[in-house]
Amino acid sequence: MSDAVTRPLRPARNWALIIGAVTAVTLMTWWSGRGIRFSLTELACNLPGGRRLLVESWPPEFSFFPRLLAPLLETLQIAVVGTVIGGILAVPVAVLAARNLTPGFLVWFVDRNFMNILRTLPDLFWAMLFAAAVGFGPIAGALALTVFTVAVISKLWSESLEAIDMGVPEAVRASGGSWLQMLQFGAIPQALPHYVSYALYAFELNVRASMILGLVGAGGIGMVLETQRSTFEYPRVTLIVLSVLVIVLIIEQVSESIRRRLI
Amino acid sequence: MIREAAIRFEGARVVYPNGAVGLASVDLSIAPGEFVVVVGSSGAGKSTLLRAVNGLTPLSAGSVAVQGQPVPRSEGRALRRLRAQVGMIFQDFRITRRLTVMTNVLVGRVAHVPAWRAMLNLWPAADREIAFRALERVGITDKAWVRAGDLSGGQQQRVGIARALAQEPAIILADEPVASLDPVTTHQIMRDLVRINQELGITTVVNLHFLDLARRYGQRIVGLRNGEVVYDGRAESVTQEDFRHIYGRDPDAGDVLDGQAAR
Ligand SMILES: Nc1ncnc2c1ncn2[C@@H]1O[C@H](COP(=O)(O)OP(=O)(O)OP(=O)(O)O)[C@@H](O)[C@H]1O
Ligand SMILES: [Mg+2]
């Protein structure tokens, strides 16, 4: 009996690969640092400049706050619209990109690439595109965030969908269910908590992003930030940054507690 | 008189894409209202046989017909219509744990109601009534609005049975329905299946692992070995010698449920 069961040898470690990878990362970092002329000494010399900016920005100009309310609200509205519309559009995009659910290779291939293109192009690009198309303002911002949301949710969620147990979907088919019914009753309920979680995450990202989007004229608090910064009103800039920080923290807390309840 | 067989295999052969032979060549005819138990060692082709009946696994050659209708080889309306008449019960229950018992049972009605109604969860009263009656038949009516995942294993399998019953099927296929249950629950579920077969006259084919269960609950036993029918006879006349032939070895304590319970 003893010769029947020989224990397999532990495979040797691939040292060449490990050393190669470490060397490659080191070389790449060094080369990149040189490329952008990154230097610690220079950084140290410039620190006083940074400190001057900080000193000038403090304390925040709280009296400016009332004038922030409307733009802050607009920012939230842009984020809500972008998240909801994008969240809905992300559902088919994610489903068709999930290998186990997609109805065919061609659909999967086209959708996957579509998803990758959405994700590769930055939100600023979309904001400028839509600003050119529908004019500067919150609509352009909401459209840009819609695309951004589709990109974020579809990528993450299609991976969750690929990880579901295909047993129930098969049982739905065995009962005579169509592809859509298989999705509705078999596949999607399993991945629903993930969907909600990713949608909340997208909303957080969108509130943050709508600050940046304002810089290119896509509405919201970012536009106020840009005007104040260009006129060197640093205490006001501080107030804006702080208020966005507080809002993002609140949203994060709320969505975290929702998420915990889901799991 | 030639009575239409409920299920008829003729030269049925299944070869999986990886070259594994699921069914070698099966000729088998099951009459309406019969209670057939299929036995055979692991890999004998029991699951393949059942899954060929509702087209979850298409045949590579030969034919299988349900109530005289050949089972289509590709997905589509015709196959869905056929599946609507064939309920299936699985070893791992395959119900959606997050949804209520009622919703899981209503999945058995997907092929019988207009697609938009199922989509919007607007099930006709008649179909809700059918679902309730199915729950009554397996004795878990009180659990109708409970989350399916909160039930015990035996209760979850009863949800699986109720879903199959809700289809008002002509045939029920059960693939090792008791393999993940304890001995007491096992006997309850087997008795449920026998009772449903007798009261409603639904043709029932059950794959079983345990010989004593096969002998006790089956009317007719079909033995599979390497994808071929090597035994076909009445349950009361099956002998130890027949089991040896089916399994290709002496049955031991692991092949009977009582042997498991005694350990
Ligand atoms: N999806 C699949 N792909 C490839 N080969 C498969 C597949 N399903 C089953 N087989 C092979 O087909 C043969 C019959 O398998 P089947 O699942 O029908 O056996 P079984 O009698 O149900 O076994 P068990 O008691 O283990 O469930 C086996 O050799 C198995 O390896
Ligand atoms: Mg099996």
Side-chain angles (χ1 to χ4, degrees):
Chain A
M1 226 20 230
S2 62
D3 59 339
V5 193
T6 45
R7 296 185 176 170
L9 290 174
R10 180 180 173 185
R13 244 173 228 240
N14 193 342
W15 282 112
L17 183 73
I18 296 173
I19 294 171
V22 170
T23 316
V25 171
T26 313
L27 283 177
M28 244 158 61
T29 313
W30 178 75
W31 174 75
S32 308
R34 263 178 60 105
I36 60 170
R37 282 184 286 284
F38 182 85
S39 127
L40 283 176
T41 40
E42 221 171 293
L43 196 66
C45 294
N46 284 334
L47 275 181
R51 212 182 66 203
R52 191 156 4 95
L53 185 66
L54 281 182
V55 169
E56 274 176 34
S57 311
W58 202 262
E61 189 185 323
F62 286 107
S63 58
F64 189 63
F65 189 71
R67 282 174 54 196
L68 289 186
L69 283 174
L72 276 175
L73 190 66
E74 191 177 71
T75 287
L76 284 177
Q77 287 163 337
I78 293 171
V80 167
V81 171
T83 312
V84 171
I85 300 180
I88 293 169
L89 294 180
V91 171
V93 178
V95 166
L96 297 179
R99 232 172 299 240
N100 50 343
L101 302 175
T102 195
F105 175 79
L106 193 66
V107 180
W108 175 83
F109 184 78
V110 171
D111 188 50
R112 224 342 68 160
N113 283 299
F114 169 70
M115 223 168 72
N116 286 341
I117 292 169
L118 287 193
R119 211 153 29 91
T120 315
L121 297 170
D123 41 5
L124 266 186
F125 165 83
W126 295 109
M128 289 193 285
L129 185 81
F130 287 118
V134 300
F136 292 105
I139 304 279
L143 288 174
L145 288 186
T146 300
V147 176
F148 180 62
T149 305
V150 172
V152 170
I153 298 185
S154 63
K155 169 72 181 162
L156 292 171
W157 199 44
S158 72
E159 272 162 25
S160 306
L161 285 169
E162 284 185 344
I164 64 168
D165 167 26
M166 285 304 283
V168 186
E170 192 179 74
V172 178
R173 295 215 122 158
S175 318
S178 62
W179 180 75
L180 274 177
Q181 291 167 334
M182 178 273 284
L183 288 178
Q184 187 189 353
F185 296 104
I188 290 179
Q190 288 184 58
L192 207 55
H194 298 98
Y195 176 81
V196 176
S197 177
Y198 296 146
L200 290 168
Y201 174 57
F203 184 59
E204 285 169 32
L205 291 183
N206 283 346
V207 172
R208 240 168 285 184
S210 62
M211 191 158 75
I212 306 291
L213 294 190
L215 300 184
V216 296
I221 191 75
M223 270 163 88
V224 186
L225 178 69
E226 175 56 14
T227 4
Q228 300 308 320
R229 192 198 59 81
S230 55
T231 51
F232 310 107
E233 298 276 6
Y234 291 128
R236 291 180 173 181
V237 170
T238 311
L239 181 73
I240 294 170
V241 172
L242 278 180
S243 36
V244 172
L245 183 74
V246 169
I247 290 178
V248 168
L249 283 178
I250 292 173
I251 291 173
E252 231 166 45
Q253 286 304 312
V254 172
S255 62
E256 189 50 43
S257 74
I258 296 177
R259 229 173 268 159
R260 218 171 306 133
R261 216 154 302 173
L262 278 173
I263 299 163
Chain B
M1 184 192 84
I2 301 169
R3 222 160 132 223
E4 187 86 79
I7 304 171
R8 185 193 297 280
F9 290 90
E10 276 169 347
R13 182 174 172 78
V14 172
V15 181
Y16 286 101
N18 65 359
V21 176
L23 291 181
S25 175
V26 168
D27 291 289
L28 184 68
S29 177
I30 294 171
E34 262 193 300
F35 192 101
V36 179
V37 172
V38 180
V39 294
S41 49
S42 186
K46 303 183 295 293
S47 299
T48 309
L49 185 81
L50 284 199
R51 295 166 57 86
V53 175
N54 59 8
L56 286 180
T57 301
L59 293 187
S60 319
S63 70
V64 54
V66 169
Q67 298 179 308
Q69 308 270 345
V71 177
R73 294 213 178 157
S74 54
E75 298 285 334
R77 188 182 292 272
L79 186 53
R80 289 207 300 276
R81 231 190 328 253
L82 185 138
R83 283 173 177 164
Q85 314 166 41
V86 183
M88 195 166 203
I89 299 164
F90 303 84
Q91 171 180 349
D92 50 352
F93 319 143
R94 301 207 176 170
I95 56 177
T96 302
R97 304 169 58 85
R98 311 180 45 76
L99 301 179
T100 61
V101 167
M102 187 43 119
T103 309
N104 273 288
V105 176
L106 281 168
V107 168
R109 300 302 302 162
V110 284
H112 298 84
V113 303
W116 64 271
R117 278 187 167 269
M119 173 68 83
L120 300 176
N121 248 318
L122 293 171
W123 302 88
D127 295 273
R128 291 186 177 277
E129 176 59 28
I130 290 169
F132 256 121
R133 279 209 304 272
L135 285 174
E136 275 161 18
R137 211 163 267 289
V138 292
I140 50 167
T141 318
D142 55 321
K143 304 290 185 196
W145 306 110
V146 176
R147 242 179 63 119
D150 292 341
L151 301 181
S152 71
Q155 289 169 331
Q156 291 192 24
Q157 188 57 299
R158 288 203 172 90
V159 177
I161 297 174
R163 177 178 61 197
L165 284 178
Q167 290 177 236
E168 301 192 311
I171 296 171
I172 285 184
L173 310 170
D175 194 358
E176 307 212 27
V178 292
S180 24
L181 301 174
D182 62 79
V184 174
T185 319
T186 290
H187 286 295
Q188 287 169 351
I189 295 284
M190 286 310 300
R191 276 197 297 271
D192 280 350
L193 289 175
V194 170
R195 188 167 44 80
I196 287 162
N197 166 256
Q198 284 167 357
E199 291 175 3
L200 302 177
I202 300 175
T203 312
T204 307
V205 187
V206 185
N207 286 350
L208 282 183
H209 188 81
F210 294 120
L211 304 179
D212 49 344
L213 286 183
R215 202 169 356 210
R216 178 155 166 195
Y217 294 105
Q219 285 172 4
R220 174 180 170 192
I221 291 183
V222 169
L224 282 185
R225 183 173 169 185
N226 296 332
E228 280 181 284
V229 176
V230 294
Y231 179 86
D232 187 352
R234 305 215 40 90
E236 55 267 22
S237 59
V238 65
T239 63
Q240 203 71 357
E241 179 55 40
D242 294 326
F243 280 137
R244 199 169 301 133
H245 180 50
I246 296 167
Y247 283 74
R249 60 174 171 80
D250 281 319
D252 56 33
D255 298 322
V256 290
L257 181 66
D258 283 346
Q260 303 280 303
R263 279 195 303 193

